[in-house]
Amino acid sequence: MSRICSITGSRATRGSIIHRRGLAKKKGGVGRHITKNVPRVFAPNLHEHRIWVPELEKFVRIRVTTRGLKTINKNGAYRALKKAGLI
């Protein structure tokens, strides 16, 4: 199962971190030096949730990000799931 939010559609993105070596000057070293960029993956903050939908009178199990949860709280479960095409 891929890491995709059911409501917002956000997915993992690729990026990079700056790789450094050396000891900081204030810790007694000669300073930090950048050696290269290292690739990494930024994963979305996904959670598995059971959400009660009053219009359907049942629970719906979805994989959703925290931003998607805020969308559900704002617009309502049925409306958000309908717009996402899950109902």
Side-chain angles (χ1 to χ4, degrees):
M1 198 169 171
S2 58
R3 294 178 182 165
I4 300 174
C5 175
S6 302
I7 300 297
T8 61
S10 62
R11 56 181 62 219
T13 56
R14 292 183 55 86
S16 59
I17 58 171
I18 297 172
H19 195 89
R20 294 178 175 92
R21 71 185 288 186
L23 192 63
K25 286 185 179 181
K26 66 180 175 181
K27 290 187 177 179
V30 295
R32 307 272 282 162
H33 298 289
I34 295 172
T35 57
K36 60 182 166 182
N37 278 350
V38 179
R40 64 158 287 189
V41 175
F42 293 94
N45 189 8
L46 283 175
H47 300 276
E48 189 80 31
H49 268 274
R50 278 175 67 222
I51 295 175
W52 175 254
V53 183
E55 290 83 357
L56 303 175
E57 294 185 355
K58 67 176 185 177
F59 282 99
V60 177
R61 188 177 294 273
I62 58 172
R63 200 168 189 194
V64 63
T65 58
T66 50
R67 184 177 292 251
L69 282 174
K70 287 178 74 173
T71 302
I72 290 171
N73 287 338
K74 181 180 178 184
N75 299 334
Y78 184 77
R79 189 170 168 196
L81 293 170
K82 183 89 170 167
K83 187 174 180 182
L86 297 173
I87 295 178

